Amino acid sequence: MTLAGAASLADPAQIILKQEEALIRRLCDGENEVFYQLIRPYERRVYATAFAVLRNEADAEEVAQEAFLKAFKHIRQFRGEARFSTWLLHITVNEARMRRRKNHAEVMEAMVDYQDDQGTYIPRDFADWREIPSETLERHEIRQKLAEALESLTQKYREVFVLRDMQHVSIEDTAKALGITTASVKTRLLRARLMLRDLLAPGLGGDWISRPHFAKGSKPW
Amino acid sequence: MVVNCEHVWREITDYLEGEVDPVLGTAMEEHIRECKRCSAVLQGTRNVVELFGDERALEIPLGFSQRLHRRLEAQMPQRRGGAFGWMVAFAAAGLLIAGLAIGRSSAFSQPPMRSEHAAPAVRLPSDLMVVVYDDGKTFHRPGCDVIHDKAHARMIPASEAMRQGFVPCVRCMKEYSGARANLRDLIDQDRYEIAEALERR
């Protein structure tokens, strides 16, 4: 074995790919039960992707199930040109978008949504947002604020942000899953991050963390 | 290389991804050190990436995985089992087809329970008066040729004749014959061949 070959085999990503290829072969040979093993690492990601499009837990769960079933039924059509996870996410995005159209949700938004905004996004001028320890995520109200901020993004930004920054899908795979260019992924990701920063910085920068909220005019004592 | 705020904001994603050209990266760092706004933007964007990148930022519904597996199990075909499995499948299909065929055949359809002569009457007017005689098993219209024992004949209501177990005469009261009614029912059920056979009898 060459040094390059040994290095590539030692690469965890390559090992996972090889394992997935073997599982897919077994699945195509009729060992249906290996499908659970194949999808286990992606269950969360598929749900999150569906949720990014639909913003509704029940719909997202149903669409995630549909996407897995579709992947199972069409596994023989998977040619290995993309990673299995990318193919699965592509199915999920399509299923979720179809469901969204079926629900007639925000039809007008969907028609204009997919064009990239031109020009530079100008972030709001806040004082420094001090570093947030990840322990704050234990607090329900912080998670709630993050969810609200995420929901307020339009779909094209939310999809990219959830895949790239929340599910850690590579820029190339995000582009493939969403059917857009890597340049569009980067543009949307930039805007999504800056918009979320603008939405969250005032609260997370101090208001929500250190100071309790009181109704206007009331006193805590 | 000198960069301004707008330039920094445009490149901030690539900067965080570590994908900017080293010369541009150095220029950005120099600018950010001097610019409070850009420093705040960079820090805020980093915080966004860090917070949302945490698994806890998106809660998966409780029991999601179990429900998914249950649905997959319900809709997944059983494992294919080679030649023996195919044989079993063919045998099962054969049995199913045979069962359906038998179920549709005349042997298992509802046959007339009695001969035409013994079939009980149907749709008989209750006030109709009929003739019966003690040794007979049928009831008749008055004047029917089949009445042999005319000395012991008596008139009773048709309903009473039926209650006593008499059946309609196939000659004079065939419109009330149960056998014929069965025939009509069979025709209704598309059992035309059977009906035809009975009719010939």
Side-chain angles (χ1 to χ4, degrees), chain A residues 43-44 61 66 123 138, chain B residues 37 55-56 58 65 67:
Chain A
E43 288 180 9
R44 186 183 179 84
E61 180 164 349
E66 294 293 336
E138 293 294 338
Chain B
R37 185 172 183 181
E55 220 176 51
R56 290 166 296 177
L58 181 72
S65 193
R67 287 191 293 278

Side-chain angles (χ1 to χ4, degrees), chain A residues 193-210:
Chain A
R193 285 172 173 176
L194 291 177
M195 283 191 277
L196 286 170
R197 177 254 173 194
D198 284 358
L199 287 163
L200 293 169
L204 291 178
D207 280 0
W208 305 337
I209 304 291
S210 56

Side-chain angles (χ1 to χ4, degrees), chain A residues 78-134:
Chain A
F78 174 68
R79 301 272 174 245
E81 288 147 1
R83 291 145 73 102
F84 172 73
S85 58
T86 312
W87 182 69
L88 185 60
L89 290 181
H90 189 64
I91 292 173
T92 309
V93 168
N94 285 344
E95 285 289 311
R97 285 177 178 170
M98 264 181 356
R99 170 65 63 99
R100 195 160 182 266
R101 278 197 291 272
K102 206 168 142 191
N103 291 349
H104 305 294
E106 296 169 300
V107 176
M108 291 310 290
E109 182 198 343
M111 285 167 68
V112 295
D113 200 19
Y114 289 98
Q115 292 179 5
D116 281 334
D117 294 319
Q118 301 300 311
T120 306
Y121 180 86
I122 299 174
R124 289 164 69 184
D125 190 8
F126 293 122
D128 202 4
W129 176 6
R130 69 178 183 209
E131 201 169 337
I132 302 299
S134 63

Side-chain angles (χ1 to χ4, degrees), chain B residues 59-108:
Chain B
E59 292 174 74
I60 302 294
L62 206 65
F64 166 78
S65 193
Q66 288 85 346
R67 287 191 293 278
L68 169 68
H69 288 208
R70 271 205 300 275
R71 177 138 186 227
L72 288 171
E73 274 164 31
Q75 305 215 351
M76 225 180 235
Q78 295 301 304
R79 187 180 172 170
R80 290 184 289 165
F84 180 73
W86 282 111
M87 281 166 66
V88 171
F90 276 123
L95 282 172
L96 183 67
I97 291 164
L100 286 171
I102 288 166
R104 287 182 63 83
S105 77
S106 59
F108 284 81

